[in-house]
Amino acid sequence: MNKAQSISLVALALILSFAFYVRYLSANNGLPYLYEWDEPFISTSAVNIIKTGDINPANNPEICYGGFLRYTCAGADWIYYKYLVLSGQIADSSEIKTSMEGGFRTLSHPEFYFINRILVALLSILGVYFVFAIARALTSNAWTGVMGALFMVSFMNYFEGSIYALVNVPMTVMTLGALFFALSYLQHKNRSSLIWSFVFAGLAASTKLTGGLSPLFPVLSYLMVSRPTNIQEMKATMRALFLYGLVVLAVFLALNPNLLTDTQNYLYWNEWIIQVYKEGKGHLSREPGWEHFTYQVALMKQEAGVAMLGLGIAGFVLFFLDLGRERVGFTISRKQVELNCFLAAFPVIYLVYVTTTYRVAYARNFIVLYPFLAIYAAIGVTGLARLMISFFPKVTAPAIQWMQGLAVVVPLVIVMDDLSYMFRYARVISERKDTRTVAIDELNKIQSREIIGVPRELQFSEVDLRRLKHPYRMYSAYNIRKAFVENSIVLSGLYKSQDQSLHRLDSELNQMALNSSLLHRIDGGPIYLDTTWMAMQAPTTNPEVILLRGTTYEAAAAVPLDVLWTSSIAFFEDGRKLIGRPFLEEATYQMILNISGTPARGVYPHINIYLDGIRIKEFSCEHGNTIFPIEVNIRQRGLHRIEMEFDNDMWTASEDRNVFLSSARIFLKR
């Protein structure tokens, strides 16, 4: 390895380091709140696999997303879940609350989302490396690879797609993997590379259905190497391709097992999403054909810039020439024509097929095209540099290598503004807080004793509520008058529903907030009272939060607090489960549990109640459905963990001893 090559690898390392740094800064965006519509269908789905042990997607829209990213995230989630259990932070998976079961697009442990995003970020870095390796292999020049990597890192849509657990960037990376190994097979004729190319093609198809075009790379490379000349050879080639195609099928089925276990649902929901893409159905749409095609080309021009687009076109033209030599030859060889067609086939077919078939026109669906632009733009710089060198025949080889290295300055100048903006954007995201997080910070500054009324419609994360240094109770916006009677501070929002029939209620709620004693206002956007599935699933991003004065603390403390952290808790076997994590002042409280139990052989369930790990009460459900009062002494102000244990499970052919907790309330004892 000469000095120029060593420096090129250092340059690559710096590019990859920058790419990871800005992604790492941005991976916490919004958390613990979820701003991306599609992300729960990957990340929450992966967490639900940990919770239920069922590898099939539990929610129908999840089926529309390929299994590769879901199961990869689930594997990473399982490692973190084990850490939570072993470190004593949770007892079992039942303590992980997900948005799909809870109704809110939030998660009790947003670290799962952060881990999934870092996983996608790392995959995106692999994609940048693939661009480097492909461009280097095509031109036999490491600096071309460095320029390709630099162009690739500068794309803002590739960056934005890699800071969330979404499928477009992973599908792009797997497609690049299929291209890289197909190119390796084409150049070195090693069968293992061909197999890996088919594997990556299967992974691309298993990530997103449009990745099903990626087997084009290994198929073309095999045909270009085998070059059948007669019927017998053609038949042998087709048989071999059929067998290799089974690799793609095996990978696809392994990562989408619900195609076999839940075939009807899998086919129905994938047909549904394809129809949505064809018809638009409320999404950003363009008429299939020329309108959609020119729209996407315009977006690429806007994203890449005229200079890079021009270099890409130049790269495509110059690649027909022999760029493997230090000085460009001016004859077009068959080898270069085939190689150029091999490289261009996928992006051309993909762009034409998607724009002429579908109305949905989101730019994220075309991220897979940008690596090819980066590669061609890098080839364009190298080709133009070698074209210039061809006019100076007396230049020495070492001088040529250094001149080619200096050519990196060209893409650096082109992308500098983009990289600078990306860095500033990542810094802003890393420091930005959701308005609800800011509201909790403001409440925690209050030194007096308070009980906070929190509207469910604001969708406060459990993570933020656990940080709150005051007791709180949830209320519905419809019951805001009651909230003012039961809480010393009432939170409200700016209501602006989509359904016109709710506008009168919106006005009443907003007017009530205006007429109340204002403590603090955190500016933000409106929230909806709509109960349609679409409105309830829409991400709530930075809503306005208004802090209002309610009743006195003494009056609020006389009203019981609901401790139960979920709707109900059932015990079908021995175990210890979390009841709730209330924030309590230093005082003596009365806790009321509503428990029902079923006996076996005349014996009812036996229950233990724990406060911060210490047993404070034991009893049996002797009468089936019973209200149990328990005195709770709190000696330190703060969050407290209340758990319930069932320890005498039994079942027979006709009886099953179980226990059910339907409510748990606590109030200040007088």
Side-chain angles (χ1 to χ4, degrees):
M1 181 183 297
N2 59 38
K3 191 173 182 179
Q5 289 175 323
S6 299
I7 295 174
S8 69
L9 292 180
V10 171
L12 174 66
L14 291 174
I15 292 169
L16 297 180
S17 298
F18 172 83
F20 179 75
Y21 180 67
V22 293
R23 284 157 174 76
Y24 178 79
L25 284 181
S26 309
N28 209 40
N29 186 26
L31 295 179
Y33 301 95
L34 308 181
Y35 292 169
E36 267 294 329
W37 177 281
D38 291 340
E39 200 172 20
F41 297 117
I42 298 296
S43 280
T44 299
S45 179
V47 175
N48 281 338
I49 290 174
I50 306 298
K51 285 173 58 66
T52 65
D54 184 1
I55 64 172
N56 289 320
N59 190 287
N60 287 334
E62 298 173 58
I63 297 173
C64 303
Y65 298 81
F68 169 70
L69 187 57
R70 178 187 301 113
Y71 296 125
T72 305
C73 289
D77 290 346
W78 183 84
I79 294 172
Y80 183 68
Y81 162 67
K82 286 299 180 182
Y83 164 76
L84 290 176
V85 174
L86 293 174
S87 61
Q89 297 183 50
I90 62 174
D92 54 39
S93 61
S94 66
E95 293 188 29
I96 302 171
K97 185 187 292 185
T98 63
S99 60
M100 290 179 185
E101 66 179 358
F104 293 168
R105 294 177 66 86
T106 57
L107 192 68
S108 60
H109 296 77
E111 299 86 0
F112 286 112
Y113 268 72
F114 181 78
I115 291 169
N116 294 166
R117 291 175 181 183
I118 291 296
L119 182 63
V120 172
L122 291 173
L123 285 174
S124 75
I125 303 302
L126 176 61
V128 175
Y129 175 79
F130 275 142
V131 169
F132 162 81
I134 292 165
R136 179 182 60 178
L138 288 170
T139 60
S140 303
N141 189 304
W143 283 110
T144 309
V146 170
M147 289 185 284
L150 190 59
F151 283 134
M152 192 65 207
V153 166
S154 72
F155 291 131
M156 196 65 189
N157 59 2
Y158 186 72
F159 163 71
E160 291 176 334
S162 61
I163 62 175
Y164 299 105
L166 301 173
V167 297
N168 295 292
V169 166
M171 187 272 278
T172 299
V173 176
M174 297 305 113
T175 299
L176 288 172
L179 168 57
F180 171 74
F181 284 106
L183 182 60
S184 177
Y185 174 71
L186 196 58
Q187 293 178 333
H188 306 293
K189 313 297 187 293
N190 48 340
R191 192 176 299 273
S192 61
S193 292
L194 181 64
I195 294 173
W196 275 112
S197 183
F198 277 107
V199 168
F200 271 91
L203 293 174
S206 301
T207 306
K208 190 175 181 180
L209 288 179
T210 48
L213 187 59
S214 57
L216 182 66
F217 291 121
V219 169
L220 285 178
S221 66
Y222 185 76
L223 291 173
M224 291 167 70
V225 169
S226 61
R227 296 185 183 277
T229 57
N230 54 54
I231 296 297
Q232 293 302 319
E233 290 179 356
M234 182 63 73
K235 288 181 178 179
T237 300
M238 292 300 104
R239 282 196 298 269
L241 285 176
F242 173 78
L243 293 175
Y244 283 124
L246 294 178
V247 173
V248 177
L249 181 62
V251 172
F252 186 86
L253 291 177
L255 293 172
N256 294 278
N258 50 319
L259 175 57
L260 299 177
T261 60
D262 192 16
T263 306
Q264 184 175 355
N265 262 332
Y266 181 90
L267 295 177
Y268 174 82
W269 283 100
N270 277 283
E271 182 181 353
W272 171 80
I273 194 65
I274 290 171
Q275 204 61 32
V276 168
Y277 266 69
K278 286 183 176 181
E279 297 177 5
K281 292 189 175 180
H283 296 270
L284 173 67
S285 300
R286 292 293 182 272
E287 190 65 26
W290 183 248
E291 180 184 338
H292 193 178
F293 178 84
T294 53
Y295 175 75
Q296 294 302 332
V297 171
L299 287 181
M300 292 184 71
K301 178 182 174 182
Q302 179 182 336
E303 174 72 19
V306 175
M308 195 189 304
L309 207 59
L311 285 173
I313 295 171
F316 175 77
V317 174
L318 289 172
F319 195 54
F320 285 112
L321 308 178
D322 188 0
L323 298 180
R325 299 183 299 175
E326 291 173 349
R327 292 181 173 84
V328 176
F330 288 93
T331 57
I332 299 176
S333 68
R334 176 182 173 182
K335 175 185 175 183
Q336 290 301 117
V337 171
E338 289 181 346
L339 203 55
N340 207 359
C341 292
F342 167 76
L343 181 61
F346 178 92
V348 170
I349 294 173
Y350 185 96
L351 178 61
V352 171
Y353 169 73
V354 176
T355 56
T356 57
T357 306
Y358 301 115
R359 280 185 169 82
V360 173
Y362 294 121
R364 62 176 179 260
N365 294 319
F366 295 85
I367 289 176
V368 70
L369 301 181
Y370 285 85
F372 297 91
L373 177 58
I375 292 168
Y376 273 121
I379 292 173
V381 176
T382 300
L384 290 172
R386 290 181 175 176
L387 197 61
M388 292 176 63
I389 291 169
S390 297
F391 294 102
F392 301 96
K394 294 183 179 181
V395 178
T396 63
I400 289 174
Q401 289 183 344
W402 279 105
M403 289 173 66
Q404 291 170 350
L406 289 174
V408 177
V409 175
V410 174
L412 191 59
V413 170
I414 292 173
V415 304
M416 184 55 72
D417 284 345
D418 294 326
L419 297 180
S420 177
Y421 173 78
M422 190 180 295
F423 179 75
R424 295 194 305 272
Y425 179 81
R427 290 292 299 270
V428 168
I429 285 180
S430 68
E431 297 169 0
R432 187 169 58 195
K433 292 182 179 180
D434 189 273
T435 52
R436 288 158 290 193
T437 300
V438 175
I440 297 297
D441 292 341
E442 291 297 323
L443 289 168
N444 287 342
K445 294 177 184 177
I446 299 174
Q447 299 298 316
S448 58
R449 291 191 171 192
E450 307 287 352
I451 294 179
I452 316 298
V454 181
R456 291 186 178 88
E457 289 77 8
L458 277 177
Q459 300 187 11
F460 268 82
S461 165
E462 185 181 330
V463 177
D464 268 345
L465 293 176
R466 285 203 300 263
R467 291 195 309 111
L468 183 58
K469 296 179 180 179
H470 301 281
Y472 70 90
R473 57 170 61 90
M474 305 298 293
Y475 77 91
S476 168
Y478 295 93
N479 297 321
I480 192 170
R481 289 183 175 82
K482 184 179 179 183
F484 276 102
V485 175
E486 295 183 343
N487 304 284
S488 60
I489 293 179
V490 177
L491 304 186
S492 186
L494 175 65
Y495 298 100
K496 189 178 180 181
S497 302
Q498 298 172 344
D499 186 346
Q500 290 188 358
S501 66
L502 295 172
H503 287 181
R504 182 177 177 181
L505 177 59
D506 292 336
S507 298
E508 291 177 0
L509 294 173
N510 294 334
Q511 191 61 43
M512 186 173 295
L514 290 173
N515 295 338
S516 302
S517 177
L518 177 67
L519 297 177
H520 193 77
R521 179 188 296 270
I522 300 156
D523 292 333
I527 55 176
Y528 313 125
L529 295 176
D530 303 76
T531 57
T532 62
W533 182 87
M534 188 70 77
M536 293 177 70
Q537 285 296 314
T540 301
T541 305
N542 290 304
E544 184 160 319
V545 184
I546 308 169
L547 281 62
L548 305 167
R549 174 55 66 188
T551 187
T552 64
Y553 172 77
E554 289 72 19
V559 181
L561 290 170
D562 191 6
V563 174
L564 199 60
W565 77 291
T566 186
S567 57
S568 62
I569 297 176
F571 291 82
F572 298 108
E573 59 185 4
D574 287 347
R576 186 162 151 181
K577 296 185 179 182
L578 175 71
I579 294 179
R581 302 185 190 90
F583 187 98
L584 300 173
E585 304 284 355
E586 185 177 340
T588 299
Y589 294 86
Q590 186 88 338
M591 184 165 65
I592 307 296
L593 303 179
N594 191 339
I595 300 176
S596 60
T598 55
R601 293 184 178 174
V603 178
Y604 279 86
H606 180 262
I607 304 299
N608 298 304
I609 303 297
Y610 293 85
L611 174 65
D612 297 329
I614 300 173
R615 187 170 65 178
I616 59 172
K617 186 76 173 179
E618 64 171 319
F619 51 86
S620 296
C621 303
E622 296 295 344
H623 305 293
N625 193 338
T626 310
I627 304 297
F628 291 93
I630 303 172
E631 186 174 282
V632 179
N633 294 306
I634 301 299
R635 304 191 183 279
Q636 184 175 358
R637 182 176 185 264
L639 275 175
H640 295 275
R641 185 182 178 90
I642 301 175
E643 297 170 293
M644 174 174 160
E645 182 182 47
F646 170 42
D647 62 6
N648 66 333
D649 182 39
M650 182 182 178
W651 66 276
T652 66
S654 58
E655 296 178 306
D656 190 2
R657 189 182 300 151
N658 297 316
V659 63
F660 307 91
L661 174 66
S662 57
S663 69
R665 308 184 78 195
I666 193 168
F667 59 92
L668 192 64
K669 190 174 182 182
R670 297 290 183 180

